[in-house]
Amino acid sequence: MSFTASAVDYSIPIENCKKSVDIVLNQDYELFKQLYAPLPKDMDQSIVKGMIARKHNNYTKKQYLGIHNFTIVGTEVLEDAKNSIYQTSQKNALKYGYTDELWVNYTFTTSKILLGKKKDNVTIKGKCKFGQVDGKWLMVNLLRS
């Protein structure tokens, strides 16, 4: 496992990570299609919209009560993702054909429902993951906290 920081320009995936908040909050299927890696042929529009709706409910009604103060806090590169000890990273790298996986780390504040009780001003950490294929950054997860 190797993480590196480099001088490579990651502005596009950073902006796309920020846009993932809009996808979730607005259930924006069209924006999702623009940013996300190609979907399997057997995954039709209704399945994708259902997945986005579940994310929306999780981030606005169930586990969290909104996404506020979304901030990018850095990037990490997982080199040689095809041979990673992280199974999801390995699977995505093999599936989409990229070598390194970029992790865009973020935080946001929210209210959280924990054991049926609301806790305010909770800081949540997470990451958006991207792989670069043919010069294009592909998002391979949608807000993972």
Coordinates of all heavy atoms in Angstrom, one line a residue, residues 59-127:
Y59 N -28.6 10.9 3.8 CA -27.9 12.2 4.1 C -28.9 13.3 4.5 O -28.4 14.4 5.0 CB -27.0 12.7 2.9 CG -25.7 11.9 2.9 CD1 -25.6 10.7 2.1 CD2 -24.6 12.4 3.5 CE1 -24.4 10.0 2.1 CE2 -23.4 11.7 3.5 CZ -23.3 10.5 2.8 OH -22.1 9.8 2.7
T60 N -30.2 13.1 4.4 CA -31.1 14.2 4.7 C -32.2 13.8 5.8 O -32.8 14.7 6.4 CB -31.8 14.7 3.5 OG1 -32.6 13.7 2.9 CG2 -30.8 15.3 2.5
K61 N -32.4 12.5 5.9 CA -33.5 12.1 6.8 C -33.2 11.0 7.8 O -33.8 10.9 8.8 CB -34.7 11.6 5.9 CG -35.3 12.6 5.0 CD -36.3 12.0 4.1 CE -36.7 13.0 3.1 NZ -37.6 12.4 2.0
K62 N -32.3 10.1 7.4 CA -32.1 8.9 8.3 C -30.9 9.1 9.2 O -31.0 9.4 10.4 CB -31.9 7.7 7.4 CG -33.2 7.3 6.7 CD -33.1 6.0 6.0 CE -34.4 5.6 5.4 NZ -34.4 4.4 4.7
Q63 N -29.7 8.9 8.6 CA -28.5 9.0 9.5 C -28.0 10.4 9.7 O -27.6 10.7 10.8 CB -27.3 8.2 8.8 CG -26.1 8.1 9.7 CD -25.0 7.2 9.1 OE1 -25.1 6.8 7.9 NE2 -24.0 7.0 9.8
Y64 N -28.2 11.2 8.7 CA -27.8 12.7 8.8 C -29.0 13.5 8.5 O -29.8 13.1 7.7 CB -26.6 13.0 7.9 CG -25.4 12.1 8.0 CD1 -25.0 11.3 7.0 CD2 -24.7 12.0 9.2 CE1 -23.9 10.4 7.1 CE2 -23.6 11.2 9.4 CZ -23.2 10.4 8.3 OH -22.1 9.5 8.4
L65 N -28.9 14.8 8.9 CA -30.0 15.7 8.6 C -29.4 16.9 7.8 O -29.4 18.0 8.3 CB -30.7 16.2 9.9 CG -31.3 15.1 10.7 CD1 -31.9 15.7 12.0 CD2 -32.4 14.4 9.9
G66 N -28.9 16.6 6.7 CA -28.3 17.6 5.8 C -26.8 17.6 5.7 O -26.1 16.9 6.5
I67 N -26.3 18.3 4.7 CA -24.9 18.4 4.5 C -24.6 19.9 4.5 O -25.1 20.7 3.6 CB -24.4 17.8 3.1 CG1 -24.7 16.3 3.1 CG2 -23.0 18.1 2.8 CD1 -24.5 15.6 1.7
H68 N -23.8 20.4 5.5 CA -23.5 21.8 5.6 C -22.0 22.0 5.7 O -21.3 21.1 6.2 CB -24.2 22.4 6.9 CG -25.7 22.0 7.0 ND1 -26.6 22.6 6.2 CD2 -26.3 21.1 7.7 CE1 -27.8 22.1 6.4 NE2 -27.6 21.2 7.4
N69 N -21.6 23.1 5.2 CA -20.1 23.5 5.3 C -19.2 22.4 4.7 O -18.2 22.0 5.2 CB -19.7 23.7 6.7 CG -20.6 24.8 7.4 OD1 -20.8 25.8 6.8 ND2 -21.1 24.5 8.6
F70 N -19.6 21.9 3.5 CA -18.9 20.8 2.8 C -17.5 21.4 2.4 O -17.5 22.5 1.7 CB -19.6 20.4 1.6 CG -19.0 19.2 0.9 CD1 -19.3 17.9 1.3 CD2 -18.1 19.4 -0.1 CE1 -18.7 16.8 0.7 CE2 -17.5 18.3 -0.8 CZ -17.8 17.0 -0.4
T71 N -16.4 20.8 2.9 CA -15.1 21.4 2.6 C -14.1 20.3 2.2 O -14.1 19.2 2.8 CB -14.5 22.0 3.9 OG1 -15.5 22.9 4.4 CG2 -13.2 22.6 3.7
I72 N -13.4 20.5 1.2 CA -12.3 19.6 0.7 C -11.1 19.8 1.7 O -10.7 20.9 1.9 CB -11.9 19.8 -0.7 CG1 -13.1 19.7 -1.7 CG2 -10.8 18.9 -1.1 CD1 -13.8 18.3 -1.7
V73 N -10.6 18.7 2.2 CA -9.5 18.9 3.2 C -8.2 18.2 2.7 O -7.2 18.2 3.4 CB -9.9 18.3 4.6 CG1 -11.0 19.1 5.2 CG2 -10.3 16.8 4.5
G74 N -8.2 17.7 1.4 CA -6.9 17.2 0.9 C -7.2 16.0 -0.1 O -8.3 15.6 -0.3
T75 N -6.1 15.6 -0.6 CA -6.2 14.5 -1.6 C -5.1 13.4 -1.2 O -4.1 13.8 -0.6 CB -6.0 14.9 -3.0 OG1 -4.7 15.5 -3.1 CG2 -7.1 15.8 -3.5
E76 N -5.3 12.2 -1.6 CA -4.4 11.1 -1.4 C -4.4 10.3 -2.7 O -5.5 10.2 -3.3 CB -4.7 10.2 -0.3 CG -4.7 10.9 1.1 CD -5.2 10.0 2.2 OE1 -6.4 9.7 2.2 OE2 -4.4 9.5 3.0
V77 N -3.3 9.7 -3.1 CA -3.3 8.8 -4.2 C -2.9 7.4 -3.7 O -1.9 7.2 -3.1 CB -2.3 9.3 -5.3 CG1 -2.2 8.3 -6.4 CG2 -2.6 10.7 -5.8
L78 N -3.8 6.5 -4.1 CA -3.5 5.1 -3.8 C -2.9 4.5 -5.1 O -3.6 4.4 -6.1 CB -4.8 4.4 -3.5 CG -4.7 2.9 -3.3 CD1 -3.8 2.5 -2.1 CD2 -6.1 2.3 -3.1
E79 N -1.6 4.3 -5.0 CA -0.8 3.9 -6.2 C -1.1 2.4 -6.4 O -1.3 1.6 -5.4 CB 0.7 4.1 -6.0 CG 1.0 5.6 -5.9 CD 2.5 5.8 -5.7 OE1 3.2 4.9 -5.1 OE2 3.0 6.8 -6.1
D80 N -1.1 2.0 -7.6 CA -1.3 0.6 -8.0 C -2.5 0.0 -7.4 O -2.5 -1.1 -6.8 CB 0.0 -0.2 -7.7 CG 0.0 -1.6 -8.3 OD1 -0.7 -1.8 -9.3 OD2 0.7 -2.5 -7.8
A81 N -3.6 0.7 -7.6 CA -4.9 0.2 -7.0 C -5.3 -1.2 -7.5 O -6.0 -1.8 -6.7 CB -6.0 1.2 -7.4
K82 N -4.8 -1.6 -8.6 CA -5.2 -3.0 -9.1 C -4.7 -4.0 -8.2 O -5.2 -5.2 -8.1 CB -4.6 -3.2 -10.5 CG -5.4 -2.3 -11.5 CD -4.7 -2.6 -12.9 CE -5.5 -1.7 -13.9 NZ -4.9 -1.8 -15.2
N83 N -3.6 -3.7 -7.4 CA -3.1 -4.7 -6.4 C -3.2 -4.2 -5.0 O -2.5 -4.7 -4.1 CB -1.6 -4.9 -6.8 CG -1.4 -5.6 -8.1 OD1 -1.9 -6.6 -8.3 ND2 -0.6 -4.9 -9.0
S84 N -4.2 -3.4 -4.8 CA -4.4 -2.8 -3.4 C -5.0 -3.9 -2.5 O -5.6 -4.8 -2.8 CB -5.4 -1.7 -3.5 OG -5.8 -1.2 -2.2
I85 N -4.7 -3.6 -1.2 CA -5.3 -4.5 -0.1 C -6.8 -4.1 0.1 O -7.5 -4.8 0.7 CB -4.5 -4.4 1.2 CG1 -4.5 -3.0 1.7 CG2 -3.1 -5.0 1.0 CD1 -3.9 -2.8 3.1
Y86 N -7.1 -2.9 -0.4 CA -8.5 -2.5 -0.3 C -9.3 -3.1 -1.5 O -9.1 -2.7 -2.6 CB -8.6 -0.9 -0.4 CG -7.8 -0.3 0.7 CD1 -6.7 0.5 0.4 CD2 -8.2 -0.4 2.0 CE1 -6.0 1.1 1.4 CE2 -7.5 0.3 3.1 CZ -6.4 1.0 2.7 OH -5.7 1.6 3.7
Q87 N -10.2 -4.0 -1.1 CA -10.9 -4.8 -2.2 C -11.7 -3.9 -3.1 O -11.8 -4.2 -4.3 CB -11.8 -5.9 -1.5 CG -10.9 -7.0 -0.9 CD -11.8 -8.1 -0.3 OE1 -13.0 -7.9 -0.1 NE2 -11.2 -9.2 0.1
T88 N -12.4 -2.9 -2.6 CA -13.2 -2.1 -3.4 C -12.4 -1.3 -4.4 O -12.7 -1.2 -5.6 CB -14.1 -1.1 -2.6 OG1 -14.9 -1.8 -1.7 CG2 -14.9 -0.2 -3.4
S89 N -11.2 -0.8 -3.9 CA -10.3 -0.1 -4.8 C -9.8 -1.0 -5.9 O -9.7 -0.6 -7.1 CB -9.2 0.5 -4.0 OG -9.7 1.5 -3.2
Q90 N -9.4 -2.2 -5.5 CA -8.8 -3.2 -6.4 C -9.9 -3.5 -7.5 O -9.6 -3.5 -8.7 CB -8.4 -4.4 -5.7 CG -7.7 -5.5 -6.5 CD -7.4 -6.7 -5.7 OE1 -8.3 -7.4 -5.3 NE2 -6.1 -6.9 -5.6
K91 N -11.1 -3.8 -7.0 CA -12.2 -4.2 -7.9 C -12.5 -3.1 -8.9 O -12.6 -3.3 -10.1 CB -13.4 -4.5 -7.1 CG -14.7 -4.8 -7.9 CD -15.8 -5.1 -7.0 CE -17.1 -4.9 -7.6 NZ -18.3 -4.9 -6.7
N92 N -12.6 -1.8 -8.5 CA -12.9 -0.7 -9.4 C -11.7 -0.5 -10.4 O -12.0 -0.2 -11.5 CB -13.2 0.6 -8.6 CG -14.5 0.6 -7.9 OD1 -15.4 -0.1 -8.4 ND2 -14.7 1.3 -6.8
A93 N -10.5 -0.5 -9.9 CA -9.3 -0.3 -10.8 C -9.3 -1.4 -11.9 O -9.0 -1.1 -13.1 CB -8.0 -0.4 -10.0
L94 N -9.6 -2.6 -11.5 CA -9.6 -3.7 -12.6 C -10.8 -3.5 -13.5 O -10.7 -3.7 -14.7 CB -9.7 -5.0 -11.9 CG -8.4 -5.5 -11.1 CD1 -8.7 -6.7 -10.3 CD2 -7.3 -5.7 -12.1
K95 N -12.0 -3.1 -13.0 CA -13.2 -3.0 -13.7 C -13.1 -1.8 -14.8 O -13.5 -2.0 -15.9 CB -14.4 -2.7 -12.8 CG -15.7 -2.5 -13.5 CD -16.8 -2.4 -12.4 CE -18.2 -2.3 -13.0 NZ -19.2 -2.1 -12.0
Y96 N -12.5 -0.7 -14.3 CA -12.5 0.5 -15.2 C -11.1 0.7 -15.9 O -11.0 1.6 -16.7 CB -12.9 1.7 -14.4 CG -14.3 1.6 -13.9 CD1 -14.6 1.6 -12.5 CD2 -15.4 1.6 -14.8 CE1 -15.9 1.5 -12.1 CE2 -16.7 1.5 -14.3 CZ -16.9 1.4 -12.9 OH -18.2 1.3 -12.5
G97 N -10.1 0.0 -15.5 CA -8.8 0.0 -16.2 C -7.9 1.2 -15.8 O -7.2 1.7 -16.6
Y98 N -8.0 1.6 -14.5 CA -7.0 2.6 -14.1 C -6.0 2.1 -13.2 O -6.2 1.0 -12.6 CB -7.7 3.9 -13.5 CG -8.6 3.6 -12.3 CD1 -8.0 3.5 -11.0 CD2 -10.0 3.5 -12.4 CE1 -8.8 3.3 -9.9 CE2 -10.8 3.2 -11.3 CZ -10.2 3.1 -10.0 OH -11.0 2.9 -8.9
T99 N -4.9 2.8 -13.0 CA -3.8 2.3 -12.2 C -3.9 2.9 -10.8 O -3.9 2.2 -9.8 CB -2.4 2.7 -12.8 OG1 -2.4 2.1 -14.1 CG2 -1.3 2.1 -12.0
D100 N -3.9 4.2 -10.7 CA -3.9 4.9 -9.4 C -5.3 5.4 -9.1 O -6.1 5.8 -10.0 CB -2.9 6.1 -9.4 CG -1.5 5.7 -9.6 OD1 -1.2 4.5 -9.4 OD2 -0.7 6.5 -10.0
E101 N -5.7 5.4 -7.8 CA -7.0 5.9 -7.4 C -6.8 7.2 -6.6 O -6.0 7.2 -5.6 CB -7.7 4.8 -6.6 CG -9.1 5.2 -6.3 CD -9.9 4.0 -5.7 OE1 -9.8 3.8 -4.4 OE2 -10.5 3.2 -6.4
L102 N -7.5 8.2 -6.9 CA -7.4 9.5 -6.2 C -8.5 9.5 -5.2 O -9.7 9.3 -5.5 CB -7.5 10.6 -7.2 CG -7.6 12.0 -6.5 CD1 -6.3 12.3 -5.8 CD2 -7.9 13.1 -7.5
W103 N -8.1 9.8 -3.9 CA -9.1 10.0 -2.9 C -9.2 11.5 -2.6 O -8.2 12.1 -2.2 CB -8.7 9.2 -1.6 CG -8.7 7.7 -1.8 CD1 -9.0 7.0 -2.9 CD2 -8.5 6.8 -0.8 NE1 -8.9 5.7 -2.7 CE2 -8.6 5.5 -1.4 CE3 -8.1 6.9 0.6 CZ2 -8.4 4.3 -0.7 CZ3 -7.9 5.7 1.3 CH2 -8.0 4.4 0.7
V104 N -10.3 12.1 -2.7 CA -10.6 13.5 -2.4 C -11.3 13.5 -1.0 O -12.4 13.1 -0.9 CB -11.4 14.2 -3.4 CG1 -11.7 15.7 -3.0 CG2 -10.7 14.2 -4.8
N105 N -10.5 13.9 0.0 CA -11.1 13.8 1.4 C -11.9 15.1 1.7 O -11.5 16.2 1.3 CB -9.9 13.7 2.4 CG -9.1 12.5 2.1 OD1 -9.7 11.4 2.0 ND2 -7.8 12.6 1.9
Y106 N -13.0 14.9 2.4 CA -13.8 16.1 2.7 C -14.3 15.9 4.1 O -14.3 14.9 4.8 CB -15.0 16.2 1.7 CG -15.9 15.0 1.7 CD1 -16.9 14.8 2.7 CD2 -15.8 14.0 0.8 CE1 -17.7 13.7 2.7 CE2 -16.6 12.9 0.8 CZ -17.6 12.7 1.8 OH -18.4 11.6 1.8
T107 N -14.9 17.1 4.6 CA -15.7 17.1 5.9 C -16.9 17.9 5.6 O -17.0 18.7 4.7 CB -14.9 17.7 7.0 OG1 -14.6 19.1 6.7 CG2 -13.6 17.0 7.3
F108 N -17.9 17.6 6.4 CA -19.1 18.5 6.4 C -19.7 18.4 7.8 O -19.4 17.5 8.6 CB -20.1 18.1 5.4 CG -20.8 16.7 5.5 CD1 -21.9 16.5 6.3 CD2 -20.2 15.6 4.9 CE1 -22.5 15.3 6.4 CE2 -20.8 14.4 5.0 CZ -21.9 14.2 5.7
T109 N -20.5 19.4 8.1 CA -21.2 19.4 9.4 C -22.7 19.0 9.2 O -23.2 19.3 8.1 CB -21.1 20.7 10.2 OG1 -21.6 21.7 9.3 CG2 -19.7 21.0 10.5
T110 N -23.3 18.4 10.2 CA -24.7 18.0 10.1 C -25.2 17.7 11.5 O -24.5 17.8 12.5 CB -24.7 16.7 9.3 OG1 -26.1 16.4 9.0 CG2 -24.1 15.5 10.0
S111 N -26.5 17.4 11.5 CA -27.1 16.8 12.7 C -27.1 15.4 12.5 O -27.4 15.0 11.3 CB -28.4 17.4 13.0 OG -28.3 18.8 13.3
K112 N -26.9 14.6 13.5 CA -26.9 13.1 13.3 C -27.9 12.5 14.2 O -28.0 12.9 15.3 CB -25.4 12.6 13.6 CG -25.2 11.2 13.3 CD -23.8 10.8 13.5 CE -23.6 9.3 13.1 NZ -22.2 8.9 13.1
I113 N -28.5 11.4 13.7 CA -29.4 10.6 14.5 C -28.6 9.4 15.0 O -28.1 8.6 14.2 CB -30.6 10.2 13.7 CG1 -31.3 11.3 13.0 CG2 -31.5 9.3 14.5 CD1 -31.9 12.3 13.9
L114 N -28.5 9.4 16.3 CA -27.7 8.3 16.9 C -28.6 7.7 18.0 O -28.9 8.4 19.0 CB -26.4 8.8 17.5 CG -25.4 7.8 18.0 CD1 -25.0 6.8 16.9 CD2 -24.2 8.5 18.5
L115 N -28.9 6.4 17.9 CA -29.7 5.7 18.9 C -31.0 6.5 19.1 O -31.5 6.6 20.3 CB -29.0 5.5 20.2 CG -27.7 4.6 20.0 CD1 -26.9 4.6 21.4 CD2 -28.0 3.2 19.6
G116 N -31.6 7.0 18.0 CA -32.9 7.7 18.2 C -32.8 9.1 18.7 O -33.8 9.8 18.8
K117 N -31.6 9.6 19.0 CA -31.5 10.9 19.5 C -30.7 11.8 18.5 O -29.8 11.3 17.8 CB -30.7 10.9 20.8 CG -31.5 10.2 21.9 CD -30.8 10.3 23.2 CE -31.6 9.6 24.3 NZ -31.0 9.6 25.6
K118 N -31.1 13.1 18.4 CA -30.4 14.0 17.5 C -29.3 14.7 18.2 O -29.4 15.1 19.3 CB -31.5 15.0 17.1 CG -30.9 16.1 16.1 CD -32.0 17.0 15.8 CE -31.5 18.3 15.1 NZ -32.5 19.3 14.9
K119 N -28.1 14.7 17.5 CA -26.9 15.3 18.0 C -26.5 16.4 16.9 O -26.3 16.0 15.8 CB -25.8 14.3 18.2 CG -24.6 14.9 18.8 CD -23.5 13.9 19.1 CE -22.3 14.6 19.7 NZ -21.2 13.7 20.0
D120 N -26.5 17.6 17.3 CA -26.2 18.7 16.4 C -24.7 19.0 16.3 O -23.9 18.6 17.1 CB -26.9 20.0 16.9 CG -28.4 19.9 16.8 OD1 -28.9 19.3 15.8 OD2 -29.1 20.5 17.7
N121 N -24.3 19.7 15.2 CA -23.0 20.1 14.9 C -21.9 19.0 14.9 O -20.9 19.1 15.5 CB -22.5 21.3 15.8 CG -23.2 22.6 15.5 OD1 -23.5 22.8 14.3 ND2 -23.4 23.4 16.5
V122 N -22.3 17.9 14.3 CA -21.4 16.8 14.2 C -20.5 17.0 12.9 O -21.1 17.3 11.8 CB -22.2 15.5 14.1 CG1 -21.2 14.3 13.9 CG2 -23.0 15.3 15.3
T123 N -19.2 16.8 13.0 CA -18.4 16.8 11.8 C -18.2 15.4 11.3 O -17.8 14.5 12.0 CB -17.0 17.4 12.1 OG1 -17.2 18.8 12.6 CG2 -16.1 17.5 10.9
I124 N -18.5 15.3 10.0 CA -18.4 14.0 9.3 C -17.2 14.0 8.3 O -17.0 15.0 7.6 CB -19.7 13.6 8.5 CG1 -20.9 13.7 9.5 CG2 -19.6 12.3 7.8 CD1 -20.8 12.7 10.6
K125 N -16.4 13.0 8.3 CA -15.3 12.9 7.3 C -15.6 11.8 6.3 O -16.3 10.8 6.6 CB -14.0 12.5 8.0 CG -13.5 13.5 9.0 CD -12.3 13.0 9.7 CE -11.8 14.0 10.8 NZ -10.6 13.5 11.5
G126 N -15.2 12.0 5.1 CA -15.4 11.0 4.0 C -14.5 11.3 2.9 O -13.6 12.1 2.9
K127 N -14.7 10.5 1.8 CA -13.9 10.7 0.6 C -14.7 10.3 -0.6 O -15.5 9.4 -0.6 CB -12.6 9.8 0.7 CG -12.9 8.3 0.9 CD -11.6 7.5 1.0 CE -10.7 7.8 2.1 NZ -10.5 7.8 3.4

